[in-house]
Amino acid sequence: MPVSTPDTQLDALCINTIRTLVMDAVQRADSGHPGAAMAMAPVAYTLFERFLHFAPADPSWPNRDRFVLSNGHGSMLSYSLLHLSGYDLPIEELQNFRQMHSKTPGHPEYGYTPGVETTTGPLGQGLSNAVGMALAEKILAAQFNKPKHQVVDHYTYTFLGDGCLMEGISHETCSLAGTLGLGKLIAFYDDNGISIDGEVDGWFTDDTPGRFLAYGWQVITEVNGHSPSEVKAAIEAARHETGKPTLICCKTIIGKGAPNKQGSESCHGAPLGGDEVAATRVALGWDHAPFEIPADIYAAWNAREQGAAREQAWEQSMTAYAEAYPDAARELRRRLAGDLPADFSEQAAAYIARCQEEGESIASRKASQNSLNAYGPLLPELLGGSADLAGSNLTLWSGSHGVSADDASGNYIYYGVREFGMAAIMNGIALHGGFINYGATFLIFMEYARNAVRMAALMKQQSIFVFTHDSIGLGEDGPTHQPVEQLTALRSTPNMQTWRPCDAVESAVAWKSAIERRDGPSSLVFSRQGLPHQQRAGQQVADIARGAYVLRDCAGTPDAILIATGSEVHLATAAAEQLASAGRQVRVVSMPCAEIFELQDATYREAVLPSDVLARVAVEALHADYWHKYVGLDGRVVGMTSFGESAPAGDLMRHFGFTVDNVVAVVEEVLL
C-alpha cells in the first residue's frame, strides 16, 4: 500500500472507493446510515493504510491491532474496509447489506463478519469494549513481556460520534481508562455536529476536549478529518504518548461528497436517494458502476501479503521468546487459545466434594469467595473486579492483586461505582482473549449494567457476572436495594446461564460451570444472609451441574413437588418435612440453574419433574411470574408480586409469606 506523499490522487481514489461502496450498499438495501461512514472515510483509510497491524487471512491473530466502530450505525464503513483490505468478505456480501443471513448486518455483529471485533450499535458500548481490549492488552503485556521480548504489543483504535459521548457509559469507562493509563488506546471523535434529530447545538454543547483532559487523556483537537496528512500526524502524536489514552478530535462534514445532502441530518439515517447518488458520483469524479472497483484500487488496498508478513514476524518473536522463557511461552499460548489447565476439572470436582463433606452453613457470597480461593490458584488467567463493593460482594480472594496504571501485572480491577461501564469493559476483555474475567455488584444494580449484560449474551462471550444481596433477604436497605424482577430479566435473556445456589456446594458448582463455559456468559447470584448446608448423596452432588435435581425425595409418586432456589431451598425442605409428618409425599427439587436444566435430555427432565404430577409449588423470594412455566396452571408460586420494604430480613420473610407454615398451606391448597 502507498506510504509516500499524503493526499495523493491514489489517496483520493481509495477514499472515494469507500464512499461509493457505502452509498451504493445503503441505496440498494434502501436502509442504513451513509453519513458518518462517508465523512470518516479519510480517517479510516489513513488508519488502515499506514498504521493498523492486522492479518486479513487470519482475523484472530492474537497480536493484531483492534479496530472498533463504536458508532456502529456506520457499519458500511467497516464492511468496505474489510472487503478492500482482503478479508473473506466478497463484494456480494456488501451487495446484500442488511439482508437475511448476510455477513453484513445493519450494525456490526461479532461472529458474523471476519474482522469485526465486537458488536456495536448501542452507542457508547463499542468505545467501552475498546477500553476493555486496551486494558486486557496492558495487563497481558505486564504479565508476559520480558526484556527484549515484547510479544504482547498492539493498539486498540476506536471511532465514535456525538451519540457515544452523550451516553453516560462513555464517562464511566473513559474516566477509568485515563486513571489506568491506557496509552495504547486511541479514539477518533467524529465531530460533525449532527445527530438524527439535527444539529447537536441544541442538546450537546459539552467541552469535549476539556472533559477528556480532565479524565487524564491526551487530546488532539481541530484535526481536519478529510485530510489524510493531518490525520496521519495526529495518529503519530497519539502513538508517541505511551502513558495516556488519546482522543483525536476530527472535524468532519457528515455525508462528505454528497453535494446536496452533506452537512445535514438528511444523510444520517437514510439512503441518499437515486438522484443524490448520481450527483455524488459526478461530484467525486467516480465513473464506475455500483460495486465496481478498478483492479489498481483493489491492489492498493489489499493487505493480505503485508498481514501475513506481520504474523510471520510475530511467530518468529514467539519462537525466540519460547527459547528464552519456555514456561511463560506455553502459558501464554494456552491462555490465548482459551484452554483451561489440564487438571482444573479434576481439582474443582475434588473441591466440590470437600464442600459437601465439610457441610458449612454460610452465606453463598462467602461460599463464592471460598470457591475463588480454591479455584484462583489454579487459574492464572482469572481476572476479577467489583463496582466498589469488593468487601460486600466478597470478590477479593487471597491471591488478588490490584491493577494500576504503574503496575498492570495484577489480577483484580477496582472498577469504582461504574456498573454499566464495568460490564462493557468485561466484554472487551473477554473479546480480547487471554483471561477469564468476572465483575461484581449487587443484584439490584444489574439494572445499571443491563444492556452490557445483554451484549455479552448476544456475542456469546465468557463474562462472569457476580450478583450478591440477591433478594428481599438483604433487609434494612429497603426496596431500592432489594431485587425483585432482576432474575426474571436475566433468565429471559437468550444464552445467559443464571445460577442461584442454595449453599456452599451449589456455589462451588456454579463457579466451576461458569469457568468451564466457553460459549456465553454466566450470572452467579449469591445471598447476603447465611444459608444452611444441604445433605446430599454422591449422585445428587453430580446432578447439581445439570441445573436441577431431586434434593429430597419421597416414597413412590409424589403427591406434590416443591421447586426452590437459593435461600428458599431450606424453606422448601423444612416444609416438605412438615408435610411428610402429616402423611403427604412431597419431593423437593433444587433448581440452581434453569437454563442448564432445559438443556438436559427429556428423560432426565421427566425424572426430576414428572409430567403427571401437577401439584407443584415454586418458592423464591423474587418475582413470581417466571415460575409458572414449571408449576403450570394448576400450581402455585410463593414469590414476590410487589416491591419490598425496609425491615430486618426475618421480618420481611414473614411479612411476604416466606415461612414454613405458609408454604405448607399453599401446598395443601394445591392438593385440594
Side-chain angles (χ1 to χ4, degrees), residues 183-208:
K184 289 185 176 178
L185 173 63
I186 299 173
F188 300 82
Y189 169 32
D190 179 18
D191 184 9
N192 59 41
I194 299 291
S195 67
I196 290 177
D197 282 351
E199 296 181 8
V200 301
D201 287 348
W203 49 88
F204 184 60
T205 57
D206 298 15
D207 177 5
T208 296

Side-chain angles (χ1 to χ4, degrees), residues 128-292:
S128 303
N129 294 163
V131 171
M133 294 174 186
L135 179 56
E137 191 275 344
K138 181 168 183 168
I139 297 171
L140 204 65
Q143 292 179 351
F144 283 98
N145 285 352
K146 309 290 184 183
K148 300 181 180 180
H149 295 277
Q150 304 299 298
V151 291
V152 180
D153 183 13
H154 49 268
Y155 285 83
T156 301
Y157 300 94
T158 181
F159 284 10
L160 58 130
D162 296 310
C164 289
L165 294 179
M166 283 186 259
E167 292 285 359
I169 191 174
S170 68
H171 166 74
E172 295 184 27
T173 56
C174 292
S175 169
L176 187 60
T179 298
L180 294 178
L182 303 184
K184 289 185 176 178
L185 173 63
I186 299 173
F188 300 82
Y189 169 32
D190 179 18
D191 184 9
N192 59 41
I194 299 291
S195 67
I196 290 177
D197 282 351
E199 296 181 8
V200 301
D201 287 348
W203 49 88
F204 184 60
T205 57
D206 298 15
D207 177 5
T208 296
R211 171 184 162 187
F212 276 78
L213 285 170
Y215 293 154
W217 287 51
Q218 173 183 224
V219 180
I220 302 172
T221 61
E222 300 296 328
V223 175
N224 180 356
H226 303 311
S227 168
S229 57
E230 287 196 32
V231 173
K232 177 176 178 289
I235 297 173
E236 288 172 341
R239 287 166 61 96
H240 185 71
E241 172 57 71
T242 60
K244 299 177 180 179
T246 297
L247 180 71
I248 300 174
C249 300
C250 301
K251 288 290 185 180
T252 67
I253 299 171
I254 193 170
K256 176 69 173 176
N260 304 302
K261 292 192 174 183
Q262 65 180 26
S264 76
E265 69 272 17
S266 63
C267 63
H268 188 297
L272 297 180
D275 291 344
E276 187 69 1
V277 167
T280 303
R281 275 185 154 75
V282 173
L284 296 178
W286 192 264
D287 57 0
H288 305 287
F291 304 102
E292 180 184 320

Side-chain angles (χ1 to χ4, degrees), residues 2 26 50 61 80 101 172 209 215 262 266 269 315 325 338 352 387 409 442 451 462 556 581 635:
V26 173
R50 294 185 171 93
W61 171 41
S80 300
H101 303 311
E172 295 184 27
Y215 293 154
Q262 65 180 26
S266 63
E315 287 293 344
Y325 304 96
I352 293 165
S409 64
F442 289 176
N451 199 263
Q462 191 191 22
S581 67

Side-chain angles (χ1 to χ4, degrees), residues 322-344:
E323 291 174 355
Y325 304 96
D327 293 342
R330 281 192 296 271
E331 183 68 5
L332 179 58
R333 292 279 195 190
R334 179 188 69 79
R335 287 174 54 172
L336 291 174
D339 297 329
L340 289 172
D343 62 345
F344 173 77

Side-chain angles (χ1 to χ4, degrees), residues 486-568:
Q486 285 66 40
L487 271 188
T488 301
L490 289 169
R491 288 168 173 157
S492 61
T493 302
N495 201 41
M496 174 63 72
Q497 292 183 355
T498 302
W499 286 84
R500 188 174 185 242
C502 75
D503 66 1
V505 182
E506 287 190 358
S507 299
V509 174
W511 266 110
K512 180 176 182 289
S513 175
I515 289 166
E516 293 180 338
R517 188 184 186 203
R518 303 296 300 168
D519 60 354
S522 301
S523 292
L524 309 184
V525 180
F526 299 119
S527 73
R528 177 189 187 185
Q529 70 274 30
L531 304 179
H533 172 73
Q534 299 297 321
Q535 294 298 321
R536 302 174 184 85
Q539 189 58 52
Q540 288 173 301
V541 174
D543 287 341
I544 296 171
R546 305 186 76 169
Y549 63 102
V550 179
L551 178 62
R552 182 195 184 279
D553 213 354
C554 57
T557 302
D559 297 325
I561 298 175
L562 278 164
I563 309 168
T565 77
S567 52
E568 287 67 68

